Amino acid sequence: MVRLPLTPADVERGQRLGALLRRARGDRSMLETALDARVSPETLRKIESGRVATPAFPTIAAIADVLGLSLDEVWAEIRRPEGTRVGRDARDRLVS
């Protein structure tokens, strides 16, 4: 199967996803988070850094579950237009 090149929008969404996961992880170690989600620490590192812009759905679902994020929150954050902010309730959940 040939993979299509990523668009700038795909790359931007991947960067927003990585930033969201980093914020939600907070002080929790990357290793602990990855192991609890049953993904490799390298995979989590690449997603958080934006190097994997389009990770597999089960991978994101597992990481979001470990971090206490709903998939609705993840989707709302990554699909928002650049320059807009996530709502106060969701932002408060990410900080707590």
Side-chain angles (χ1 to χ4, degrees):
M1 179 169 98
V2 175
R3 186 174 176 136
L4 296 175
L6 296 176
T7 67
D10 292 333
V11 172
E12 185 178 307
R13 272 193 304 275
Q15 291 169 344
R16 284 197 303 266
L17 174 63
L20 169 67
L21 297 179
R22 279 192 309 277
R23 285 192 312 272
R25 186 166 54 82
D27 292 335
R28 186 176 182 167
S29 80
M30 187 178 287
L31 177 62
E32 176 189 359
T33 303
L35 294 176
D36 287 349
R38 302 183 62 104
V39 301
S40 75
E42 181 67 10
T43 296
L44 180 57
R45 185 183 69 74
K46 286 179 180 178
I47 293 169
E48 285 189 358
S49 69
R51 286 187 50 212
V52 175
T54 57
F57 175 80
T59 301
I60 295 308
I63 296 168
D65 183 51
V66 165
L67 296 175
L69 293 171
S70 75
L71 293 176
D72 288 335
E73 289 173 306
V74 173
W75 180 244
E77 175 70 14
I78 66 171
R79 70 182 272 261
R80 69 177 170 77
E82 184 59 35
T84 61
R85 303 201 70 141
V86 71
R88 180 174 168 77
D89 292 340
R91 186 174 57 243
D92 289 346
R93 278 185 38 86
L94 293 175
V95 173
S96 63

